[in-house]
């Protein structure tokens, strides 16, 4: 038991070294960290320790979470993000999918402060159309074979017209 206790203390000291300065970190006996960043006036997500298990972000000034922000946190289990002025557009799709997959019960607590369309609604209530598509749809239609087929047709038609015009000019010239 003392050996285990000493090892745990060593681990806890090591894991807590990466604690963001704005937050307090508590080592859990199950080798995870409870990272408490509640009510710190945060406007951006701080760099989080790899062992983060529970992340508390309640009552801050967060508007967005960068896509992929939690991908390097395999142990992350709970996220509390209420009481933030969330800007619910396509850039919040990552947070929405993360919550949908792991703790859907928390989605109604994520209240949107902006844009106008989303005000006073929760992130979970917005449809994909309302969140916006970040331009993905535009890219998809550019990559579609139909688009390039149309371009090729247009080029061939233009060349054909130019050729015809050229022919007509050479044919009509000797008549003058
Ligand atoms: C929210 O955080 C601020 C500090 O940023 C604090 O003064 C305030 O009391 C907190 N509000 C609640 C409801 O916890």
């Amino acid at each position: 038991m003392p050996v285990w206790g000493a090892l745990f203390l060593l681990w806890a000291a090591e894991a807590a070294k990466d604690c963001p300065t704005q937050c307090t970190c508590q080592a859990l006996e199950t080798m995870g960290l409870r990272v408490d960043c509640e009510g710190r006036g945060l406007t951006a997500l701080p760099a989080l320790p790899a062992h983060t298990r529970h992340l508390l972000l309640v009552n801050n000034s967060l508007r967005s979470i960068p896509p992929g922000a939690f991908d390097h946190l395999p142990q992350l289990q709970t996220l509390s993000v209420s009481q933030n002025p969330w800007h619910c557009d396509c850039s919040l799709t990552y947070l929405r999918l993360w919550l949908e997959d792991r703790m859907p019960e928390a989605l109604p607590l994520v209240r949107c402060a902006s844009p106008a369309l989303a005000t006073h609604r929760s992130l979970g209530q917005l449809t994909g159309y309302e969140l916006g598509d970040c331009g993905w749809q535009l890219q998809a239609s550019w990559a579609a074979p139909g688009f390039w087929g149309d371009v090729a047709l247009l080029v061939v038609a233009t060349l054909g017209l130019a050729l015809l015009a050229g022919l007509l000019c050479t044919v009509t010239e000797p008549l003058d």
Side-chain angles (χ1 to χ4, degrees), residues 39-41 59 83:
R40 312 296 160 97
N59 184 23
Q83 297 173 55

Side-chain angles (χ1 to χ4, degrees), residues 139-158:
Q139 273 182 359
S141 71
W142 268 75
F147 174 80
W148 293 113
D150 289 351
V151 168
L153 204 65
L154 201 67
V155 167
V156 168
T158 311

Side-chain angles (χ1 to χ4, degrees), residues 14-85:
E14 190 61 30
K17 272 204 313 203
D18 297 331
C19 191
T21 51
Q22 308 96 316
C23 311
T24 52
C25 296
Q26 183 195 344
L28 307 168
E29 301 241 356
T30 46
M31 298 287 175
L33 284 178
R34 179 182 187 275
V35 181
D36 181 352
C37 311
E38 282 195 21
R40 312 296 160 97
L42 297 179
T43 53
L45 192 69
L48 296 163
H51 295 283
T52 303
R53 174 94 38 93
H54 306 293
L55 178 58
L56 291 79
L57 294 168
V58 175
N59 184 23
N60 279 290
S61 301
L62 297 170
R63 288 165 49 80
S64 201
I65 294 279
F70 306 133
D71 287 355
H72 68 296
L73 307 174
Q75 293 191 42
L76 188 60
Q77 281 174 5
T78 65
L79 196 57
S80 33
V81 295
S82 56
Q83 297 173 55
N84 279 280

